[in-house]
Amino acid sequence: MHTADDTREGAPALPPVADRAAFQARLDELRIREKAHTREGDAIAAARRRLPMVEVAADLELTGPDGPVTLLDAFEGRRQLIAYYYMWHEGHDAAGQCDGCTWIGSQVQELSYLHSRDITYAVFCQGPYGESRRYRDFMGWQVPWYSALPSQRELLVGRRAGMMHLVCYLRDGDRVYETYWTTWRGVEVMDYSYALMDLTAYGRQELWEDSPDGWPRRRGEVPDEHIRLRSDGRPIPHWSRIEAGRSDDLTP
């Protein structure tokens, strides 16, 4: 093998260059690990399907577009519900909203595949309905949107309210049960952008990644930020909306 020649000033380092046979041999070695990872993921999912469930009051109140609704209503008649608990910075403008939740919210668009399995997906925002709904509309999202504030403590009992959470529910008639939840990097299951980045030579380019010397690293806009999800003071997806002329004013 030899290293590709790149003399551009400030250019990132490059992987070593190999012929096709050597490249394929190394990829075949990695594929063994990838397949083991896939099988372990299947095994974990099988274990997840065997978890017990805990009952949750079906009449816990949410706020929807027409006022108060219940947790049961949010199922929209389907058997299962996946709720993303969206972090919210009350009173802040759009630029001051959570870049992590904006990243996640931008990923989930097509719901028909979930619906085909009798699953409803909805956002339970941890902020006032009117203010947060205006953010949803600014972003152009079409997913069902509720405010969890009326029952946030009961819905997230035992967890830190105000953080991102992904929670799965199952209903049996008019009774509702929680079957699974995750937070922090667990919500990456909703993402495709980082999953695709992970396939590339340079990966996510985050500070915590195990990458060779000379690989590009992107710092966030605050010193300890690991995930670069902002650009020029805003969550990255905002700029296309601003350029399209959408108003990001969230005030009543």
Side-chain angles (χ1 to χ4, degrees):
M1 293 185 181
H2 64 279
T3 303
D5 181 22
D6 192 333
T7 58
R8 293 172 299 163
E9 183 177 355
L14 297 170
V17 176
D19 60 29
R20 172 61 62 176
F23 166 74
Q24 190 61 48
R26 289 290 299 275
L27 183 57
D28 289 344
E29 292 175 3
L30 182 63
R31 195 77 77 213
I32 294 171
R33 298 177 61 188
E34 288 181 334
K35 289 180 178 179
H37 181 266
T38 298
R39 288 192 291 269
E40 179 62 15
D42 291 341
I44 291 171
R48 191 180 294 119
R49 291 191 294 272
R50 289 164 172 79
L51 287 172
M53 59 186 185
V54 60
E55 188 164 11
V56 181
D59 61 354
L60 288 175
E61 183 179 319
L62 307 168
T63 304
D66 299 317
V69 297
T70 66
L71 176 60
L72 183 63
D73 293 330
F75 280 75
E76 297 181 345
R78 298 185 181 91
R79 189 71 181 272
Q80 298 185 89
L81 168 68
I82 300 173
Y84 179 74
Y85 285 80
Y86 199 106
M87 296 171 63
W88 190 255
H89 303 306
E90 188 170 351
H92 288 240
D93 59 13
Q97 294 307 323
C98 177
D99 41 8
C101 287
T102 301
W103 154 58
I104 284 296
S106 300
Q107 310 297 308
V108 183
Q109 300 296 320
E110 180 58 60
L111 302 181
S112 61
Y113 295 104
L114 293 174
H115 293 172
S116 75
R117 299 300 191 271
D118 211 15
I119 301 168
T120 291
Y121 171 83
V123 169
F124 287 8
C125 188
Q126 300 174 76
Y129 180 80
E131 188 177 280
S132 65
R133 171 60 188 264
R134 282 186 287 277
Y135 188 70
R136 168 194 182 266
D137 294 343
F138 163 67
M139 292 301 299
W141 298 332
Q142 300 297 316
V143 299
W145 191 278
Y146 302 93
S147 169
L149 279 183
S151 304
Q152 180 170 298
R153 291 186 181 277
E154 294 89 345
L155 286 164
L156 293 177
V157 63
R159 286 152 288 196
R160 181 180 168 188
M163 294 300 300
M164 58 173 67
H165 297 285
L166 187 63
V167 184
C168 296
Y169 300 97
L170 174 69
R171 73 176 181 91
D172 182 17
D174 291 338
R175 302 181 75 171
V176 173
Y177 302 87
E178 184 178 323
T179 62
Y180 178 75
W181 72 275
T182 188
T183 187
W184 290 102
R185 289 194 64 187
V187 305
E188 285 186 15
V189 69
M190 304 168 65
D191 163 78
Y192 69 89
S193 296
Y194 275 10
L196 290 174
M197 290 179 197
D198 285 342
L199 301 181
T200 68
Y202 291 142
R204 305 182 188 192
Q205 304 174 39
E206 294 184 7
L207 302 180
W208 60 267
E209 283 182 289
D210 180 5
S211 295
D213 291 339
W215 255 229
R217 306 280 189 170
R218 298 182 181 273
R219 291 187 173 273
E221 293 189 353
V222 295
D224 295 328
E225 184 182 23
H226 288 184
I227 305 174
R228 186 179 176 88
L229 297 171
R230 284 184 170 260
S231 174
D232 297 328
R234 286 181 173 274
I236 291 170
H238 279 199
W239 289 110
S240 62
R241 278 76 174 178
I242 295 294
E243 290 169 2
R246 295 183 191 173
S247 171
D248 64 349
D249 183 3
L250 306 183
T251 58

